[in-house]
């Protein structure tokens, strides 16, 4: 078995038996088996139990836990416990604690509280991981190593400042190059000695909530890059330590958030044997948002991922945490599978009686009963996965559309000072993702470094920051027949956040065949009317409106503004470039208006949905190694829907073994193969 594969579909999640008397563990395992749960993630937050004092290790409890799970034939995901430090470490080594954005050094508590530049933390973590790997690496029931937990957050301490100075010296080599990259003649910021560089926190060149406002954008962007790499280096250290004892078992950490702004997951992906993701959509999130995040996780390595955490009922840390409605949990778990997950895992398998997450949902709730609604739904999924999991295990989601999501753009776009306080990178991406989601068109969420040639259409909303060579890559893609869309605030700056001279959209001017003279910011409640096709269709332009001039001989106006002083000028353009086409959308359009535009683009690109019948059901397709297509049909609403006729006759529902029932209840689903 390859390191990027699992032996079976994992169904389970985080289990913390150390919080309970050992004489309850057997009962827990019997309850899990009743739901066909076949795996458990253990040892996530156990450092203080494993090492009660420096160098004094006690693995007796973990031995018993692993022995119990092994005897019960469970697949084990073994964590390294390094995400939460014991109290003695803070007491003995103050440098392990982070300094926050306000310049305050933290004390014992929380988690994700370690400084990535602390040599004491690195040494102690490495020692613990080595002991774990040496002790348990020969256990064949361990199917994955789980390093740390949900990395994230920045540190602004002196150790990080010194490490950052060294990182910058290695990157820029000379201070002249650094000053030029950061444009440091502005506000007398010229640096003459490396030790004059300070971290960009609230006491210096940043202000407002962390990651939102900065004076020297190059400094702040480089600090985000540095911190992401510093945490990644910690991960690599733990991974290399495990690999000294175990070369075969997959090693990973769990990604999280929507998405995590502090960690560049695309750069981290190369070090993950399998991508793992924790999914907790808010009660009012549209269903396309978690679908987008699943597609992002799948696309990081273009292979199936692990849904490592989700909740069987409710979370307890969102502003409002309602219960999932009957059937909703089943639909949301299968949504992850439909978009490429090969596991369904929960936080948590047994509900804690204390701590901040004691009211977070669990398979075994405080009632300790198995006749609850939530447990019955958990068991239903377990029985179904045992039946059909081998059919989709390892299967791919083929996509001919790629949407570019780039962490450097994420960081830089939301650091822009002025213009509008509504700079929302993720929201702008979701505008376009939703267009494909509602048409049931498979979509990869790709990086700027991915191979563009495998896609018929690439969409790059707010491609604000352009790395060297990217414009040439886009030009080649379009000239060879590709279809490309980008928008307002694209082609603006280089990787140091310095503006390209010569007019916007900078290095994209030729492929787009336009020049943007100015950008108007819409104040709240204001919009600009946009007219398509000589008045046949209209849209509302919000947020920003670019004042566009056509420059290419083959550039055409698709839609124009019909209000404000720029009425009659282009709002949307298309340029025929070589064998392909490149569109530019100069404003953030309302959903219906964007749909009108995307209808034409999708026709031009020859993109097809999974089925031909329009439907508001969510339908995705995975293709397994034998070439069989498995269709996941999800009703993501609490309303009855009808299965399209083209998916009834000649199809088999894998869950029933029969022709699919056409009437779908709220939150219902079908898993179909063609006869």
């Amino acid at each position: 078995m390859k390191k990027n594969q699992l032996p079976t579909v994992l169904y389970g999640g985080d289990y913390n038996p150390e919080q309970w008397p050992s004489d309850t563990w057997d009962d827990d395992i019997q309850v899990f088996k009743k739901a066909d749960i076949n795996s458990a993630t253990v040892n996530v937050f156990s450092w203080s139990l494993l090492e009660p004092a420096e160098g004094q290790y006690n693995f007796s409890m973990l031995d018993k836990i692993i022995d119990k799970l092994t005897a019960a034939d469970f697949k084990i995901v073994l964590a390294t416990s390094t995400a939460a430090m014991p109290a003695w470490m803070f007491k003995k080594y103050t440098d392990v604690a982070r300094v926050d954005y306000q310049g305050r050094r933290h004390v014992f508590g929380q988690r994700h509280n370690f400084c990535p530049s602390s040599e004491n933390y690195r040494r102690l973590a490495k020692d613990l991981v080595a002991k774990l790997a040496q002790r348990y690496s020969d256990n064949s029931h361990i199917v994955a190593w789980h390093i740390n937990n949900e990395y994230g957050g920045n540190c602004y301490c002196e150790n990080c400042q010194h490490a950052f100075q060294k990182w910058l010296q290695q990157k820029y080599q000379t201070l002249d190059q650094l000053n030029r990259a950061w444009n440091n003649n502005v506000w007398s910021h010229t640096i003459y000695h490396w030790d004059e560089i300070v971290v960009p926190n609230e006491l210096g060149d940043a202000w407002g909530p962390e990651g939102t406002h900065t004076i020297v954008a190059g400094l702040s962007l480089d600090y985000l890059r540095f911190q992401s790499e510093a945490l990644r280096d910690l991960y690599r250290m733990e991974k290399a330590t495990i690999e000294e004892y175990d070369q075969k078992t997959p090693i990973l950490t769990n990604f999280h958030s929507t998405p995590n702004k502090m960690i560049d997951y695309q750069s981290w992906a190369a070090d993950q044997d399998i991508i793992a993701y924790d999914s907790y959509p808010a009660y009012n999130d549209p269903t396309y948002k978690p679908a987008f995040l699943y597609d992002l996780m799948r696309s990081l390595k273009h292979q199936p991922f692990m849904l490592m955490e989700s909740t069987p009922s409710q979370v307890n840390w969102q502003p409002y945490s309602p219960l999932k409605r009957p059937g909703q949990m089943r639909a949301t778990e299968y949504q992850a599978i439909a978009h490429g997950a090969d596991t369904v895992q929960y936080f948590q398998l047994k509900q804690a009686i204390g701590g901040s997450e004691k009211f977070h949902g669990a398979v075994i709730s405080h009632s300790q009963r198995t006749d609850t609604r939530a447990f019955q739904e958990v068991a239903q999924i377990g029985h179904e996965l045992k039946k059909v999991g081998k059919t989709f295990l390892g299967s791919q989601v083929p996509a001919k559309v790629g949407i570019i999501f780039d962490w450097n753009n994420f960081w830089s776009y939301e650091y822009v000072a002025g213009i509008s306080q509504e700079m929302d990178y993720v929201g702008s991406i979701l505008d376009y993702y939703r267009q494909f989601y509602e048409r049931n068109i498979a979509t990869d969420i790709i990086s700027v470094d991915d191979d563009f040639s495998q896609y018929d259409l690439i969409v790059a909303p707010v491609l604000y920051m352009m790395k060297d060579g990217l414009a040439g890559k886009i030009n080649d893609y379009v000239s060879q027949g590709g279809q490309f869309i980008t928008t307002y605030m694209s082609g603006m700056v280089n990787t140091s956040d310095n503006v390209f001279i010569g007019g916007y959209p900078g290095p994209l001017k030729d492929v787009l065949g336009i020049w943007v003279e100015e950008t108007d910011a819409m104040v709240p409640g204001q919009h600009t009317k946009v007219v398509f096709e000589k008045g046949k269709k209209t849209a509302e332009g919000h947020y920003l409106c670019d004042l566009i001039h056509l420059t290419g001989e083959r550039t055409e106006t698709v839609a124009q503004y019909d209000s404000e002083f720029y009425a009659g000028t282009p709002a949307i353009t298309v340029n025929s470039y070589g064998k392909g086409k490149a569109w530019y959308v100069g404003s953030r359009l309302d959903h219906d208006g964007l749909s009108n535009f995307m209808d034409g683009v999708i026709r031009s690109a020859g993109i097809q949905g999974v089925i031909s019948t329009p439907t508001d059901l969510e339908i995705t397709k995975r293709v397994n190694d034998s070439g069989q297509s498995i269709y996941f049909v999800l009703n993501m609403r609490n309303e009855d829907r009808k299965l399209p006729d083209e998916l009834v006759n000649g199809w088999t529902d894998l869950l029933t073994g029969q022709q699919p029932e056409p009437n779908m209840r709220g939150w219902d689903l079908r898993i179909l193969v063609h006869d």
Side-chain angles (χ1 to χ4, degrees):
M1 189 178 67
K2 297 179 181 178
K3 281 194 76 174
N4 66 347
Q5 294 178 341
L6 294 168
T8 188
V9 172
L10 299 187
Y11 188 53
D14 282 37
Y15 181 42
N16 301 291
E18 68 276 4
Q19 298 176 10
W20 299 87
S22 59
D23 60 7
T24 66
W25 298 352
D26 286 335
D27 292 338
D28 293 344
I29 289 172
Q30 291 309 306
V31 171
F32 300 152
K33 283 184 171 294
K34 189 174 181 179
D36 277 324
I37 286 172
N38 64 9
S39 71
T41 301
V42 297
N43 200 48
V44 178
F45 297 114
S46 300
W47 197 339
S48 61
L49 294 178
L50 300 175
E51 191 178 7
E54 183 176 356
Q56 299 177 17
Y57 296 100
N58 183 351
F59 294 100
S60 59
M61 182 175 292
L62 184 57
D63 286 345
K64 292 177 183 178
I65 292 168
I66 290 179
D67 287 348
K68 285 281 188 186
L69 293 172
T70 299
D73 198 28
F74 270 60
K75 309 299 182 187
I76 300 170
V77 178
L78 183 58
T80 61
S81 286
T82 52
M85 299 174 288
W88 60 260
M89 196 181 300
F90 286 81
K91 181 179 178 181
K92 191 171 183 179
Y93 304 108
T94 56
D95 68 297
V96 302
R98 288 182 182 174
V99 171
D100 64 20
Y101 181 65
Q102 287 74 33
R104 303 168 300 190
R105 184 173 292 280
H106 288 188
V107 297
F108 170 65
Q110 305 179 21
R111 52 181 182 148
H112 310 303
N113 204 11
F114 51 86
C115 167
S117 302
S118 166
E119 290 301 321
N120 284 311
Y121 173 81
R122 293 177 64 90
R123 171 179 57 82
L124 293 164
K126 180 178 174 64
D127 289 347
L128 174 64
V129 173
K131 294 288 185 182
L132 288 165
Q134 184 178 22
R135 192 175 191 90
Y136 300 112
S137 59
D138 61 349
N139 187 325
S140 61
H141 282 77
I142 296 174
V143 296
W145 289 91
H146 170 30
I147 292 178
N148 206 280
N149 188 75
E150 295 183 338
Y151 282 95
N154 293 335
C155 179
Y156 300 89
C157 72
E158 289 187 5
N159 285 336
C160 282
Q161 182 166 289
H162 295 153
F164 180 48
Q165 292 164 356
K166 293 178 181 178
W167 184 88
L168 291 170
Q169 192 167 2
Q170 184 175 10
K171 177 177 180 177
Y172 291 106
Q173 299 297 309
T174 69
L175 286 170
D176 284 344
Q177 292 192 66
L178 178 139
N179 283 317
R180 188 161 45 250
W182 290 0
N183 200 29
N184 274 342
N185 284 337
V186 174
W187 285 17
S188 191
H189 270 56
T190 303
I191 300 294
Y192 292 102
H193 300 280
W194 292 104
D195 63 4
E196 293 172 356
I197 298 168
V198 297
V199 296
N201 66 1
E202 205 171 67
L203 304 177
D205 273 329
W207 78 94
E210 187 174 7
T212 58
H213 300 289
T214 184
I215 295 168
V216 181
L219 163 65
S220 294
L221 287 168
D222 273 339
Y223 199 70
L224 287 172
R225 293 165 180 148
F226 159 73
Q227 283 283 311
S228 180
E229 290 187 20
L231 287 171
R232 183 184 177 190
D233 190 58
L234 279 180
Y235 169 84
R236 284 171 159 174
M237 178 270 290
E238 290 198 33
K239 184 179 184 185
T241 303
I242 293 170
E243 288 176 334
E244 292 177 14
Y245 304 93
D246 184 351
Q247 294 283 333
K248 297 180 180 180
T249 306
I251 302 173
L252 49 93
T253 190
N254 49 340
F255 294 161
H256 71 113
S257 194
T258 58
N260 185 344
K261 194 173 182 179
M262 300 299 178
I263 301 294
D264 181 351
Y265 287 162
Q266 287 165 338
S267 69
W268 279 53
D271 296 318
Q272 310 300 311
D273 294 324
I274 304 173
I275 300 297
Y277 176 59
D278 298 349
S279 178
Y280 295 106
Y283 73 97
N284 57 349
D285 277 344
T287 57
Y288 59 82
K289 186 173 181 180
F292 162 78
L293 292 165
Y294 297 144
D295 285 345
L296 172 61
M297 293 301 126
R298 184 193 71 246
S299 302
L300 289 174
K301 292 184 76 72
H302 297 280
Q303 68 182 40
F305 66 95
M306 296 172 65
L307 176 63
M308 198 164 201
E309 287 187 25
S310 57
T311 177
S313 56
Q314 67 189 142
V315 299
N316 76 313
W317 41 263
Q318 293 174 353
Y320 303 95
S321 302
L323 293 171
K324 291 181 178 178
R325 272 32 197 171
Q328 184 178 7
M329 186 266 290
R330 178 171 174 256
T332 55
E333 303 302 318
Y334 274 103
Q335 185 185 41
I337 293 172
H339 288 265
D342 271 357
T343 73
V344 172
Q345 295 162 279
Y346 302 111
F347 180 85
Q348 47 196 330
L349 291 188
K350 189 171 183 178
Q351 198 167 23
I353 62 171
S356 65
E357 294 180 306
K358 61 181 175 291
F359 293 119
H360 194 290
V363 173
I364 300 177
S365 66
H366 291 148
S367 71
Q368 308 274 294
R369 299 176 65 95
T370 60
D371 57 355
T372 62
R373 177 179 63 85
F375 182 83
Q376 294 303 314
E377 292 192 29
V378 166
Q380 181 183 2
I381 296 173
H383 304 332
E384 291 171 348
L385 292 179
K386 185 176 182 180
K387 181 178 182 179
V388 306
K390 60 182 178 296
T391 306
F392 65 79
L393 180 67
S395 61
Q396 303 294 323
V397 179
K400 300 304 288 182
V401 175
I403 296 179
I404 291 178
F405 187 100
D406 176 66
W407 256 262
N408 281 278
N409 269 279
F410 189 12
W411 292 331
S412 59
Y413 185 68
E414 297 192 2
Y415 268 140
V416 172
I419 304 179
S420 173
Q421 68 177 13
E422 297 180 10
M423 295 294 197
D424 178 6
Y425 183 69
V426 176
S428 296
I429 300 285
L430 286 172
D431 286 350
Y432 287 84
Y433 178 83
R434 180 182 177 186
Q435 295 295 323
F436 300 105
Y437 175 86
E438 292 181 346
R439 292 169 172 83
N440 288 312
I441 295 173
T443 308
D444 284 347
I445 312 302
I446 62 175
S447 79
V448 295
D449 297 318
D450 269 304
D451 176 11
F452 291 177
S453 66
Q454 61 189 305
Y455 301 103
D456 294 334
L457 173 63
I458 289 179
V459 185
V462 290
L463 193 59
Y464 172 73
M465 176 172 283
M466 301 282 294
K467 66 182 294 186
D468 290 345
L470 178 57
K473 184 176 179 178
I474 292 170
N475 292 352
D476 290 344
Y477 167 76
V478 177
S479 66
Q480 293 167 14
Q483 313 280 300
F484 176 75
I485 303 173
T486 193
T487 71
Y488 52 90
M489 295 295 291
S490 291
M492 305 284 282
V493 300
N494 64 15
T495 53
S496 295
D497 202 55
N498 291 321
V499 172
F500 292 114
I501 300 302
Y504 317 130
L508 296 176
K509 291 199 304 291
D510 289 343
V511 72
L512 295 167
I514 62 168
W515 166 54
V516 176
E517 180 179 354
E518 294 180 288
T519 299
D520 191 18
M522 301 288 98
V523 300
Q526 181 185 8
H527 68 270
T528 301
K529 187 176 181 181
V530 175
V531 179
F532 293 85
E533 301 173 359
K534 299 180 181 179
K536 293 181 182 179
K537 297 178 181 179
T538 63
E540 291 182 357
H542 297 266
Y543 181 33
L544 299 174
C545 293
D546 283 343
L547 279 62
I548 302 170
H549 300 276
L550 306 187
T551 59
E553 293 181 358
R554 303 169 67 193
T555 312
E556 300 175 7
T557 297
V558 176
Q560 58 185 252
Y561 298 113
D562 195 40
S563 59
E564 288 294 343
F565 69 90
Y566 35 88
T569 65
I572 304 175
T573 63
V574 60
N575 186 40
S576 296
Y577 186 85
K579 298 178 182 178
K581 293 182 178 180
W583 283 267
Y584 186 85
V585 183
S587 183
R588 188 171 184 179
L589 303 181
D590 66 290
H591 178 63
D592 289 343
L594 186 57
S595 295
N596 292 334
F597 166 65
M598 290 302 299
D599 282 341
V601 174
I602 289 169
R603 283 195 301 270
S604 176
I607 303 293
Q608 301 292 325
V610 176
I611 65 170
S612 59
T613 305
T615 176
D616 57 4
L617 296 170
E618 181 181 324
I619 305 176
T620 57
K621 179 177 73 173
R622 293 182 64 169
V623 180
N624 62 25
D625 289 341
S626 65
Q628 183 183 38
S629 295
I630 306 109
Y631 290 74
F632 294 83
V633 184
L634 303 171
N635 182 6
M636 301 302 294
R637 301 165 183 252
N638 196 16
E639 302 169 2
D640 292 349
R641 289 289 185 271
K642 186 174 175 58
L643 189 68
D645 291 341
E646 65 177 291
L647 292 177
V648 179
N649 293 324
W651 294 82
T652 297
D653 186 346
L654 293 179
L655 297 176
T656 65
Q658 300 176 353
Q659 179 175 298
E661 167 60 41
N663 296 316
M664 298 185 68
R665 304 180 311 277
W667 308 114
D668 205 356
L669 65 95
R670 306 281 184 267
I671 304 178
L672 306 179
V673 293
H674 201 272
D675 295 345

